[in-house]
Amino acid sequence: MVLDFIRSLGRASRFSGDAYGYAGNVAAHVLIGIGSVLMAAQAAQWMIGEYPYRWRIWIGIAVLYAAKEIIIDRWNGFDTVEDFAFVAIYGAGGTCMSFRAMPPGYTDIRFDPAIAQMFFVVFAWHLAIGIVKRLREAGNGPTG
């Protein structure tokens, strides 16, 4: 039962007609991106005493996630592109860009709400379009 669940996590799905499943999948992917940034930044802070340059974290996560999607999950067209966008662009990219480290030697970071808002608005539109598309596929969505 547990192995079946773990295997199901790697199966590609467009969640055709399943808006709730799509929204849950999107939330999980964004959280993977956010969590990856937080873990990488904290690990670096513990090891070297300061936060690394945010682009290094983002590039590392983007490359590793792209490799995982292509090598392990195999190319699945737009599903692969969307999964990458939710993890690497919205989750990891939005987090990396929204927080700035202070000059070298400082352990402080600063949050920039304007950048976070930009990522959130684009993410919200992407999510909303995906949900409406799946509601339409199920026959429950707005027409027009």
Side-chain angles (χ1 to χ4, degrees):
M1 181 172 185
V2 173
L3 287 175
D4 290 336
F5 173 73
I6 291 171
R7 283 188 198 109
S8 74
L9 294 176
R11 258 186 255 129
S13 176
R14 286 187 54 253
F15 293 93
S16 185
D18 182 6
Y20 183 75
Y22 175 76
N25 181 57
V26 166
H29 279 84
V30 170
L31 288 174
I32 288 168
I34 293 169
S36 297
V37 170
L38 297 177
M39 288 187 298
Q42 191 59 54
Q45 207 279 334
W46 286 337
M47 291 186 313
I48 63 175
E50 62 187 35
Y51 293 107
Y53 189 58
R54 59 190 172 171
W55 282 106
R56 290 180 181 164
I57 292 175
W58 183 78
I59 288 170
I61 291 169
V63 168
L64 288 173
Y65 194 77
K68 177 257 182 209
E69 277 290 318
I70 293 169
I71 295 168
I72 296 173
D73 294 346
R74 304 282 181 216
W75 175 257
N76 290 298
F78 192 67
D79 180 63
T80 299
V81 173
E82 264 197 325
D83 286 352
F84 180 83
F86 288 125
V87 171
I89 306 299
Y90 302 130
T95 303
C96 284
M97 293 305 297
S98 297
F99 290 90
R100 284 181 203 200
M102 298 311 292
Y106 288 84
T107 57
D108 295 354
I109 56 173
R110 298 280 164 93
F111 177 68
D112 187 342
I115 293 175
Q117 181 181 12
M118 177 192 67
F119 274 90
F120 181 77
V121 167
V122 175
F123 161 73
W125 273 105
H126 189 157
L127 175 63
I129 290 167
I131 288 172
V132 168
K133 181 177 188 284
R134 278 140 186 94
L135 287 172
R136 283 185 177 170
E137 290 170 350
N140 302 322
T143 59

